[in-house]
Amino acid sequence: MDRRRYLVAAGTAAAVSLGGCLGLTRDENTDFDVGMRPTSFDPQTITVAPGEEVVWENTGTRDHTVTAYEESLPDGAAFFASGGYESEAAAREAWTNSTGGGLSNGDQFTHTFEIPGEYDYFCIPHESGGMVGRVIVEESTPTATPSE
């Protein structure tokens, strides 16, 4: 199992087991799709249709980033990172040098996903603690209707 997959699995297990204790529940009337808790994204995995925008909001007190794992992007998909960086290396460097791309409490980041596939992403300062997430972009399948 590679490190990234391990971190995703470990982060999910930790969030699920501690979610109720830490008050990590999400109000369905929010203006965002993914919240940022102290060391996790909530929810960790979200599924959307092509062309749909995802909104992340920092709902915690620590600064966070949203940074795509560049190597995991589907072919032809655009890189995304809070701060508008054009590569994972640039985003990491900006954070290291000046906390570039950081989102404070209440700040939002949005990205529209056009190409179907799985998009793994992470928070630069909390990556080692397992703050990773995934956006799954898939075509919706029509629901079969019963014959009359």
Side-chain angles (χ1 to χ4, degrees), residues 78-101:
F79 176 78
F80 61 96
S82 53
Y85 302 101
E86 294 187 15
S87 70
E88 183 179 336
R92 287 182 186 275
E93 182 178 337
W95 176 265
T96 301
N97 292 334
S98 65
T99 65

Side-chain angles (χ1 to χ4, degrees), residues 4 11 41 44 53 119 132:
R4 188 167 299 117
F41 292 104
Q44 186 176 23
E53 178 182 79
Y119 296 74
V132 295

Side-chain angles (χ1 to χ4, degrees), residues 20-81:
C21 298
L22 298 175
L24 300 181
T25 56
R26 192 169 153 257
D27 179 356
E28 294 303 319
N29 297 317
T30 60
D31 290 331
F32 59 89
D33 302 299
V34 180
M36 298 169 174
R37 305 297 184 191
T39 57
S40 66
F41 292 104
D42 178 25
Q44 186 176 23
T45 301
I46 185 170
T47 302
V48 299
E52 194 169 334
E53 178 182 79
V54 174
V55 179
W56 287 264
E57 182 173 311
N58 185 343
T59 56
T61 56
R62 299 176 172 184
D63 283 359
H64 294 294
T65 70
V66 175
T67 309
Y69 280 115
E70 197 165 7
E71 67 188 41
S72 78
L73 296 174
D75 288 342
F79 176 78
F80 61 96

Side-chain angles (χ1 to χ4, degrees), residues 1-13 44 128-130 132 134:
M1 180 181 292
D2 68 16
R3 179 174 178 249
R4 188 167 299 117
R5 292 191 195 284
Y6 171 78
L7 291 173
V8 170
T12 300
Q44 186 176 23
S128 64
V132 295
R134 175 175 285 164

Side-chain angles (χ1 to χ4, degrees), residues 97-122:
N97 292 334
S98 65
T99 65
L103 302 171
S104 298
N105 179 265
D107 289 347
Q108 291 187 336
F109 170 73
T110 62
H111 181 73
T112 301
F113 292 86
E114 300 291 347
I115 296 175
E118 293 184 357
Y119 296 74
D120 292 329
Y121 65 93
F122 64 103

